[in-house]
Amino acid sequence: FPVSTPSVPDNRARAFCAALAEETSGMSAGSWRMLDTVASRMRLGFFEAEAIAKDCARRGWTQIAADTVRLKDEGRAVVLEGRRA
């Protein structure tokens, strides 16, 4: 059976989306960023950030390609929702 990536806590996934939104602020929506750039913004190691990014992708919030990630509209909505809370 396939090995599933463990789900990360909701707040970690939301924090990743927020960091990605900050990393792409001023850029066009859906801009791609290097995963290690987001990892350093969050002060995480690459593999920890990658695990969170994969979890966010499974939730439909991000899209991953190689070592890059982008925030989808659904992820942007999660960030905006968090700012209103």
Side-chain angles (χ1 to χ4, degrees):
F1 59 94
V3 177
S4 64
T5 310
S7 185
V8 299
D10 200 56
N11 61 333
R12 299 287 277 171
R14 290 175 186 277
F16 183 89
C17 287
L20 184 52
E22 289 169 18
E23 226 15 87
T24 56
S25 88
M27 300 170 76
S28 59
S31 293
W32 292 88
R33 300 300 292 157
M34 295 299 294
L35 199 46
D36 58 3
T37 304
V38 184
S40 61
R41 176 177 280 275
M42 294 183 74
R43 293 181 169 80
L44 298 174
F46 177 83
F47 294 108
E48 187 177 0
E50 183 182 46
I52 298 170
K54 285 179 178 175
D55 187 79
C56 289
R58 198 168 40 243
R59 295 169 190 241
W61 297 350
T62 61
Q63 184 178 357
I64 303 172
D67 290 344
T68 61
V69 62
R70 74 177 191 93
L71 196 59
K72 295 172 70 175
D73 289 340
E74 295 86 340
R76 197 169 306 288
V78 164
V79 172
L80 294 174
E81 179 186 301
R83 288 182 183 153
R84 283 191 222 110

